[in-house]
Amino acid sequence: CVIVFSSLLFLSLVFYGPDTPAAFSKENVIPRGATSLKEAESLIRVVCFGDTHARHRSILVPDADILVFTGDCTDPTTASSKDEQLRQIWDFNNWVNSLPHKHKFFVAGNHDPENGISLGDLKREVTSMQYLQDE
């Protein structure tokens, strides 16, 4: 598979939004090895990101066949109780559910199981993605 979204472009969109000078377009995400947009469209597109720390709604996620979230959807510094952290998880889950990606995967981060939240709680609450642990 091919990752079509560069880290630099992703970070510029996170910090500057869609008005960044490196604005997201098909032209600037042709994967390495592809020589044209037509060739690129035949490849599997994967977008992978994490460490949103409850700021997921400010992120512009590009279209892809597969979305992989690599943990830390919550911010334990702003969620001081289990209930507040659960609300962050539910909001993240609802946001991910609204994304058009056909296949979605979730791997918990080190800040997700805090404030009394267990990995089992995460697996139960993150229903919009396939939860991966020790897979």
Side-chain angles (χ1 to χ4, degrees):
C1 59
V2 176
I3 296 176
V4 299
F5 198 56
S6 78
S7 300
L8 183 59
L9 181 58
F10 177 77
L11 290 174
S12 69
L13 287 169
V14 168
F15 291 113
Y16 301 107
D19 297 327
T20 181
F24 175 73
S25 69
K26 282 187 177 182
E27 289 73 26
N28 61 16
V29 292
I30 294 176
R32 278 183 230 162
T35 57
S36 68
L37 283 175
K38 184 175 181 177
E39 185 179 354
E41 289 172 354
S42 69
L43 300 173
I44 295 173
R45 299 166 299 146
V46 177
V47 63
C48 179
F49 66 101
D51 292 299
T52 55
H53 295 285
R55 292 185 277 292
H56 45 271
R57 293 196 179 271
S58 65
I59 295 174
L60 175 66
V61 180
D63 190 25
D65 302 299
I66 300 169
L67 181 147
V68 180
F69 185 81
T70 56
D72 291 345
C73 68
T74 63
D75 184 357
T77 64
T78 61
S80 57
S81 71
K82 182 176 183 175
D83 287 341
E84 288 175 17
Q85 194 157 352
L86 277 171
R87 278 193 284 281
Q88 289 182 357
I89 293 168
W90 296 333
D91 186 62
F92 173 80
N93 188 62
N94 289 333
W95 174 75
V96 168
N97 194 46
S98 72
L99 298 175
H101 304 80
K102 185 175 180 179
H103 304 284
K104 302 172 188 176
F105 299 94
F106 179 91
V107 179
N110 61 316
H111 291 293
D112 292 325
E114 292 190 11
N115 292 322
I117 301 289
S118 69
L119 292 174
D121 292 331
L122 284 166
K123 190 171 189 173
R124 271 190 307 280
E125 301 302 333
V126 178
T127 58
S128 60
M129 307 177 87
Q130 183 173 342
Y131 182 93
L132 299 177
Q133 179 182 335
D134 301 325
E135 306 284 332

